[in-house]
């Protein structure tokens, strides 16, 4: 029975990923606003109902990594090393993401294309603002849990706001320069230097907060 459930879950994950991949291909080619869910279903060779079984809205098709995006800073905090502060853990993860070309840095290959599509769609821009708020709120909740903060302690929320703003600003500046035609390597090199400054500022202000 367990084997059957495992196979069923794997099939569901594969179907979900296939639909998302087909949808993104259409969005990249024609723009988000110019593609319908029916067209996604046809290209993915599934029914419209099947698409909606996996994705509540068309925006969810585009933002299929939204849960990971919301949870990422919180995951880094939860998994920080012994003796490592919150800021030190987030700094380490950001530079690892830059080195790996991972989406966590916001500067992975093709990120500027995704951002351009978002900027062209009011509904996607609205959803991204919502996700950014959820990400910050989730990080604040995680910090409160990890530091056993009192209900009236503002520090978890203040730290979360500063951290999320810094990472968002670093990624936005890098994407802006890539969209202007600068080379990926040049942008990443300069963002790395700016990130050192940003995290130095955070560490000077936040310091050893949340040392594990």
């Amino acid at each position: 029975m367990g084997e059957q459930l495992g196979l069923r879950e794997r099939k569901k994950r594969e179907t979900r990923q296939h639909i998302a991949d087909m949808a993104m291909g259409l969005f990249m080619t024609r723009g988000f606003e110019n593609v319908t869910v029916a067209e996604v279903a046809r290209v993915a060779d599934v029914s419209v109902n099947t698409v909606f079984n996996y994705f509540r809205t068309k925006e969810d098709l585009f933002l299929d990594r939204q849960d990971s995006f919301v949870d990422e800073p919180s995951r880094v905090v939860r998994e920080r090393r012994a003796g490592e502060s919150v800021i030190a853990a987030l700094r380490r993860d950001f530079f690892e993401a830059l080195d790996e070309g991972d989406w966590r840095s916001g500067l992975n290959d093709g990120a500027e294309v995704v951002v351009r599509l978002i900027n062209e769609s009011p509904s996607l821009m609205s959803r991204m603002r919502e996700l950014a708020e959820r990400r910050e709120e989730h990080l604040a909740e995680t910090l409160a849990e990890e530091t056993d903060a009192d209900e009236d302690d503002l520090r978890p929320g203040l730290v979360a706001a500063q951290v999320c703003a810094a990472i968002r600003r670093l990624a936005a500046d890098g994407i802006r320069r890539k969209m202007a035609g600068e080379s990926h390597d040049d942008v990443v090199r300069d963002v790395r230097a700016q990130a050192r400054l940003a995290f130095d500022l955070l560490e000077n202000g936040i310091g050893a907060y949340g040392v594990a």
Side-chain angles (χ1 to χ4, degrees):
M1 176 66 72
E3 219 172 282
Q4 288 179 336
L5 286 173
L7 179 61
R8 188 176 303 128
E9 286 304 312
R10 188 169 72 249
K11 281 294 208 181
K12 287 172 67 175
R13 288 196 300 270
E14 289 173 353
T15 299
R16 186 184 192 283
Q17 191 60 55
H18 173 67
I19 294 170
D21 289 345
M22 294 299 101
M24 187 56 75
L26 287 173
F27 297 148
M28 290 285 193
T29 302
R30 296 171 48 197
F32 178 79
E33 299 291 344
N34 298 321
V35 175
T36 66
V37 173
E39 289 172 313
V40 171
R42 185 165 60 250
V43 170
D45 196 24
V46 297
S47 69
V48 171
N49 284 341
T50 297
V51 174
F52 283 121
N53 283 340
Y54 289 95
F55 301 93
R56 188 171 55 88
T57 66
K58 192 172 81 162
E59 287 75 18
D60 291 333
L61 272 168
F62 187 92
L63 300 165
D64 65 308
R65 283 181 174 171
Q66 59 184 295
D67 291 341
S68 296
F69 172 79
V70 168
D71 186 58
E72 186 57 28
S74 294
R75 179 195 65 79
V76 174
V77 168
R78 292 193 302 268
E79 297 176 2
R80 69 196 185 284
R81 299 166 181 170
E84 190 173 45
S85 72
V86 164
I87 298 303
L90 290 163
R91 175 198 280 265
R92 173 176 52 78
D93 183 74
F94 185 84
F95 282 103
E96 286 176 357
L98 272 182
D99 293 339
E100 296 164 5
D102 189 88
W103 67 268
R104 304 190 319 274
S105 69
L107 290 172
N108 51 300
D109 284 337
E112 65 274 21
V113 179
V114 173
V115 170
R116 185 176 291 112
L117 289 171
I118 292 172
N119 289 342
E120 292 171 352
S121 168
S123 64
L124 286 178
M125 289 183 68
S126 176
R127 179 62 71 85
M128 286 305 301
R129 285 192 292 270
E130 175 191 329
L131 291 178
E133 291 176 2
R134 284 175 51 197
R135 176 174 160 116
E136 182 181 316
E137 290 169 3
H138 185 42
L139 178 57
E141 292 168 1
T142 300
L143 290 171
E145 292 170 4
E146 291 288 314
T147 61
D148 196 24
D150 292 334
E151 188 175 331
D152 295 333
D153 190 344
L154 293 180
R155 285 176 295 177
L158 293 171
V159 171
Q162 292 176 68
V163 166
C164 289
I167 294 174
R168 185 170 62 249
R169 176 61 61 183
L170 289 168
D173 187 61
I175 291 295
R176 176 186 60 77
R177 293 176 56 184
K178 288 184 72 174
M179 292 175 73
E182 295 187 45
S183 74
H184 178 79
D185 290 345
D186 286 347
V187 170
V188 169
R189 183 192 63 240
D190 290 346
V191 167
R192 185 175 283 108
Q194 293 297 326
R196 284 194 291 269
L197 173 62
F199 281 102
D200 283 348
L201 289 170
L202 290 171
E203 285 188 329
N204 286 334
I206 297 170
Y209 178 78
V211 169

